[in-house]
Amino acid sequence: EGEVGLFAPLSELRKNAVRGAVAIVSMEEFKAAGGAASGLLPEGIKDFALACTGAETEEDVRLLKQAGAVCVFLKVRDSESRVHVSRKFFELLAANEVDAAVLHHLELEGDHKDDIIIRGGTECGALLVDGLGDGVIIENRSFPTEFVRLTSFGLLQGCRMRSTKTDYVSCPSCGRTLFDLQEVTNAIQQKTGHLPGVTIAIMGCIVNGPGEMADADFGYVGTVPGKIDLYVEKDVVRKGVKMDEAVDELIDLIKEYGRWVEPEPEEEESVEMESASV
């Protein structure tokens, strides 16, 4: 889906100009060139992205408005609060009627994968949910590229910006829960995680489950010990399904309603990797 392009710092493209690449130009470089990128870009390079820190002045933003950059990379300094600096930056863009795609550039490091996921969500998720930003760039040197890619897409999906996998809704679990919620959710995710645009709810009991899963396409709800009701949207369509058969019955239901696609081999590997990292 989509295309793959190369973004590279201006200094690197001056050493090796890769035709069709997009140069990353800092605001300082852009201002030093008098606000004209044509004199900065190497031969064969036509497009550029403007790298900002969020500390730009109103004069800088007016310059950005006329820049003609394909997008803006917003990389807030480590010593500052990304959320507060970013909000101020977007307010400045709005005040000057700047309509530019802004990508949040995050450098995230940590000892565990969860550190990357949690920091990405806390530092950028609130901004994206509020419509402040068009995408995310996660830079990490500790974990495999595939993990970083999946984390990026997961963040975008969590903010309802792009759907690349199945969405899951789950209750927080309580004393009424009739099955091991984490185990069942993982089993369902293993078999259905490749269905972008589909939302599946896993609810531990009948008390609050139907209300909490009102926006889901399909529902898996505990009713009595060892038995599951399956829903399509808000309607029960299969009652009292034996628990050891319920996941397969859910898949049959998804197929029956035309929402199933067979996973590609690489998608199966990605689902397994995501499940292992949760």
Side-chain angles (χ1 to χ4, degrees), residues 46-240:
K46 297 180 180 179
D47 297 319
F48 72 100
L50 203 55
C52 297
T53 65
E56 284 69 28
T57 65
E58 191 156 356
E59 183 180 347
D60 293 337
V61 170
R62 284 196 292 267
L63 195 62
L64 187 159
K65 185 176 183 178
Q66 307 299 326
V70 295
C71 64
V72 173
F73 284 14
L74 180 58
K75 185 178 182 181
V76 177
R77 297 184 181 99
D78 291 338
S79 60
E80 298 178 307
S81 165
R82 168 171 289 277
V83 173
H84 292 88
V85 170
S86 297
R87 287 191 185 280
K88 183 178 179 182
F89 180 74
F90 279 99
E91 287 174 4
L92 204 54
L93 293 183
N96 287 273
E97 299 181 339
V98 178
D99 184 19
V102 178
L103 308 182
H104 293 281
H105 185 177
L106 310 175
E107 277 191 27
L108 301 177
E109 298 295 339
D111 296 329
H112 304 285
K113 290 180 178 180
D114 284 351
D115 296 335
I116 310 304
I117 296 170
I118 293 169
R119 279 195 59 200
T122 54
E123 292 188 18
C124 192
L127 297 166
L128 293 174
V129 165
D130 285 346
L132 302 179
D134 300 273
V136 62
I137 304 160
I138 295 180
E139 188 176 337
N140 174 270
R141 298 174 180 84
S142 305
F143 297 105
T145 302
E146 182 68 1
F147 166 75
V148 177
R149 183 183 74 84
L150 292 173
T151 300
S152 302
F153 283 138
L155 178 57
L156 293 176
Q157 178 141 346
C159 296
R160 300 297 185 263
M161 294 185 66
R162 180 172 180 175
S163 179
T164 56
K165 59 183 180 180
T166 314
D167 253 338
Y168 297 96
V169 179
S170 178
C171 67
S173 183
C174 70
R176 292 190 299 265
T177 302
L178 294 168
F179 53 81
D180 187 319
L181 196 64
Q182 186 171 352
E183 181 181 324
V184 170
T185 299
N186 186 60
I188 292 173
Q189 185 181 34
Q190 286 281 351
K191 294 188 176 183
T192 64
H194 62 287
L195 304 172
V198 173
T199 300
I200 298 173
I202 303 104
M203 297 291 160
C205 77
I206 196 67
V207 177
N208 295 324
E212 293 179 17
M213 65 176 220
D215 295 329
D217 300 303
F218 300 95
Y220 179 109
V221 180
T223 51
V224 297
K227 295 293 179 70
I228 302 296
D229 283 358
L230 299 179
Y231 284 67
V232 174
E233 297 180 346
K234 299 178 182 179
D235 299 321
V236 184
V237 294
R238 298 187 186 181
K239 292 180 67 68

Side-chain angles (χ1 to χ4, degrees), residues 254-273:
I254 295 170
K255 291 178 178 178
E256 181 182 327
Y257 280 80
R259 304 296 298 275
W260 180 265
V261 294
E262 293 298 330
E264 298 292 335
E266 59 269 22
E267 288 180 332
E268 291 178 334
E269 293 173 7
S270 294
V271 169
E272 290 172 4
M273 180 178 294

